[in-house]
Amino acid sequence: MDDISPLAFIDAALAFQKTAALKAAVGLDLFTAIAHEDGDPARVAARVQAAERGVRSLCDFLTIHGFLQKESARYRLTPSTAAFLTTSSPAWMGGIVDFLAAPEMIALWFDDPVSFVRNGGSVGLGNLSADHPVWVKFARAMVPFVAPTAHDIAQQVAAWPQPPKRVLDVAAGHGLFGISIAKAVPDAEIVAVDWQAVLDVARENAGSAGVSARYRTLAGSAFDVDWGTDFDLVLLTNFLHHFDPATCVSLLSKVRRSLAPGARALAVEFVPNDDRVSPPFAAAFSLMMLASTPHGDAYTAREFEQMGREAGFSKVTVTPLPPSPQSLVTFE
């Protein structure tokens, strides 16, 4: 028989402390300092210009929660912390807290959580209001998280018998998915659609990647702007989950009409199993959509297949993208 304990409840109620600790550690570049100063609290504190008591307390908390190890009075990085949370690592992704824990996102979750449950979604437009500033934070912060997935998809696309020459990137955000394809397919031209402020970030990234000559932007709502036709590939990365099924069908119908004969669309999504409680990360994403959008959800493979058929696609496949928690949804 399982022990009866309130610890799970208490841990969940205090989960905001973990977010605060990570924001502090990333803001101080604490993990890099630990690596360079051999985990000595006094030297780490001097390097990050913080009180030694503050550094010790923060490091102990991070040790308790698995981000550090403690040997005598010194701290050591775990392999995952070293890989993803030190700025000297090419896989560094600490900056994503600027979006995931942005004040705008926290407000959607904490101001009145009862309301979005009772309402079946955010009261108002949530993060879908026109030109919401949080998407600039998304575009700047999330690159390290999506970069490996964008690279893997680009390699798959480049290996097609006929790699795409005209690519439409809908709700492009940081632009990394289209940019990665432009790098992998030398004659591919990308058209990126998003709000103007977000596209400014995408253009910066395209310039840094050396593909700006083949990167064109089109500002406006994906539902309203006329983006043209005869595309060899349409990208819908991390977008469909913001909307209800009927809206997704409407958008997918527009996508299908914009494709050249025999072309396809690719979506990147968190796809839970039919039980909607596994795998944990993808299934839990449904609550993220409940809090931050009026009608969004994490859709199952069966639901994507249904939406694709209603939009006129004859084939829909869902393929996991490990080690990412996301999946590739292909509409043909």
Side-chain angles (χ1 to χ4, degrees), residues 94-130:
I96 70 173
V97 299
D98 290 341
F99 171 70
L100 296 179
E104 299 93 332
M105 296 297 288
I106 290 173
L108 289 172
W109 281 88
F110 280 101
D111 280 359
D112 187 6
V114 171
S115 69
F116 62 70
V117 176
R118 280 191 172 144
N119 191 57
S122 65
V123 178
L125 290 176
N127 61 24
L128 294 182
S129 56

Side-chain angles (χ1 to χ4, degrees), residues 233-236 252 255 259 263-267 313 329-332:
L233 171 63
V234 174
L235 299 172
L236 291 161
L252 286 168
V255 167
L259 287 168
R264 69 191 85 175
L266 298 178
F313 288 97
V329 186
T330 304
F331 298 92
E332 300 178 82

Side-chain angles (χ1 to χ4, degrees), residues 106-228:
I106 290 173
L108 289 172
W109 281 88
F110 280 101
D111 280 359
D112 187 6
V114 171
S115 69
F116 62 70
V117 176
R118 280 191 172 144
N119 191 57
S122 65
V123 178
L125 290 176
N127 61 24
L128 294 182
S129 56
D131 243 343
H132 198 300
V134 77
W135 294 116
V136 176
K137 292 186 177 184
F138 172 86
R140 293 199 180 281
M142 294 299 288
V143 168
F145 180 75
V146 304
T149 300
H151 177 268
D152 289 349
I153 292 173
Q155 295 305 305
Q156 292 182 40
V157 169
W160 290 353
Q162 291 184 315
K165 294 184 177 181
R166 296 189 71 236
V167 179
L168 175 67
D169 191 355
V170 179
H174 38 67
L176 213 63
F177 288 94
I179 290 167
S180 297
I181 289 174
K183 291 172 65 177
V185 183
D187 57 350
E189 296 186 356
I190 315 298
V191 177
V193 178
D194 213 316
W195 301 113
Q196 185 61 59
V198 178
L199 290 174
D200 290 343
V201 179
R203 276 198 297 267
E204 290 176 18
N205 292 334
S208 298
V211 299
S212 55
R214 294 182 285 122
Y215 198 84
R216 185 165 66 88
T217 59
L218 191 59
S221 164
F223 295 92
D224 301 328
V225 70
D226 181 1
W227 59 50

Side-chain angles (χ1 to χ4, degrees), residues 29-48:
D29 199 11
L30 178 75
F31 300 114
T32 305
I34 290 171
H36 282 278
E37 302 298 342
D38 197 31
D40 180 86
R43 287 161 47 191
V44 171
R47 186 182 183 97
V48 303

